[in-house]
Amino acid sequence: DQQVKQNSPSLSVQEGRISILNCDYTNSMFDYFLWYKKYPAEGPTFLISISSIKDKNEDGRFTVFLNKSAKHLSLHIVPSQPGDSAVYFCAARATYSGAGSYQLTFGKGTKLSVIP
Amino acid sequence: EAQVTQNPRYLITVTGKKLTVTCSQNMNHEYMSWYRQDPGLGLRQIYYSMNVEVTDKGDVPEGYKVSRKEKRNFPLILESPSPNQTSLYFCASTSDPIQPQHFGDGTRLSIL
């Protein structure tokens, strides 16, 4: 049972345009969401996060939107640059007491290609 | 420089030959974790540790062992590796569950 879904394995966007990466989740206990970016031969690096008490978080060219009722979040990159070409992972966490509160559940990732 | 270091980066070995992948972090983080990445499956958590001598299973723990005898180190042990453990492995650490994790650069294991 896949609790975090990234239904688009790949996405191609022209440089300067907006990139929109989508993520859906099924577990209503998830209350903290993160996006990671991964280049080949490197580990994932944290990009941006959002708590469930917010519906938007912005950091420079990157904005994450959260729609709790739809259990959907999206990452917007504006404007897209060739250096943004990477695999983007959506991740979610449920806050509750105990050891399990550390567990992150990742989606399968979306490969973004920004074409110059 | 703050980092998570994994060794080896690449390893080709044979079924049944015990191996250990080391992970070390220099950020004094309490929380450490191991993931595997497989095509079409994304990142899946194998084991995690909340502190020295405190470990717990993630989503795919079968065939793996871990230990946390020191805060900085969190080795992943494959006692009897099998071909289905061929994968790309990542170690990660963080100071707090609510903070983002720092990942190592990965270890590519091939079990023949």
Side-chain angles (χ1 to χ4, degrees):
Chain A
D1 177 32
Q2 196 182 348
Q3 298 188 67
V4 178
K5 301 177 184 178
Q6 294 178 257
N7 292 320
S8 298
S10 62
L11 175 68
S12 290
V13 173
Q14 287 290 130
E15 180 178 4
R17 306 294 291 269
I18 184 171
S19 294
I20 300 176
L21 294 90
N22 294 305
C23 179
D24 297 292
Y25 62 96
T26 57
N27 188 341
S28 58
M29 297 297 291
F30 288 148
D31 59 358
Y32 187 64
F33 305 89
L34 308 91
W35 285 93
Y36 282 84
K37 179 168 72 173
K38 184 184 179 304
Y39 293 118
E42 294 183 10
T45 55
F46 169 72
L47 188 59
I48 193 169
S49 64
I50 188 167
S51 165
S52 60
I53 62 173
K54 295 185 175 182
D55 55 16
K56 177 182 174 181
N57 189 27
E58 191 171 355
D59 183 2
R61 296 186 297 114
F62 303 92
T63 304
V64 56
F65 296 91
L66 175 62
N67 183 332
K68 285 179 60 180
S69 60
K71 293 189 176 67
H72 176 84
L73 64 155
S74 60
L75 173 67
H76 293 211
I77 306 173
V78 183
S80 301
Q81 299 174 353
D84 295 329
S85 297
V87 176
Y88 289 79
F89 290 99
C90 173
R93 191 179 75 95
T95 302
Y96 56 94
S97 61
S101 64
Y102 176 51
Q103 286 189 274
L104 271 183
T105 301
F106 283 82
K108 295 182 180 181
T110 297
K111 184 177 182 179
L112 174 65
S113 299
V114 179
I115 304 162
Chain B
E1 179 189 353
Q3 58 185 359
V4 177
T5 304
Q6 298 178 224
N7 280 296
R9 293 292 311 277
Y10 305 91
L11 178 64
I12 302 174
T13 187
V14 296
T15 300
K17 186 176 181 182
K18 180 180 178 180
L19 67 91
T20 299
V21 184
T22 64
C23 174
S24 181
Q25 49 92 5
N26 63 0
M27 296 166 279
N28 202 37
H29 285 167
E30 291 187 344
Y31 300 86
M32 299 186 73
S33 190
W34 276 104
Y35 295 87
R36 60 180 288 175
Q37 183 188 1
D38 301 290
L41 294 176
L43 285 158
R44 295 179 294 168
Q45 192 175 50
I46 303 170
Y47 268 95
Y48 60 95
S49 170
M50 297 180 74
N51 212 327
V52 174
E53 302 293 2
V54 181
T55 63
D56 207 349
K57 296 177 180 179
D59 297 319
V60 287
E62 294 78 20
Y64 304 94
K65 286 177 57 178
V66 293
S67 69
R68 188 89 183 275
K69 292 182 169 52
E70 304 167 279
K71 197 171 187 178
R72 63 181 290 127
N73 296 323
F74 190 44
L76 179 70
I77 303 157
L78 285 71
E79 293 270 5
S80 183
S82 61
N84 64 10
Q85 293 178 298
T86 292
S87 187
L88 179 58
Y89 292 85
F90 291 99
C91 179
S93 74
T94 183
S95 57
D96 187 284
I98 199 163
Q99 296 299 322
Q101 297 178 55
H102 297 257
F103 282 82
D105 283 338
T107 295
R108 186 167 291 282
L109 288 182
S110 295
I111 315 295
L112 304 178

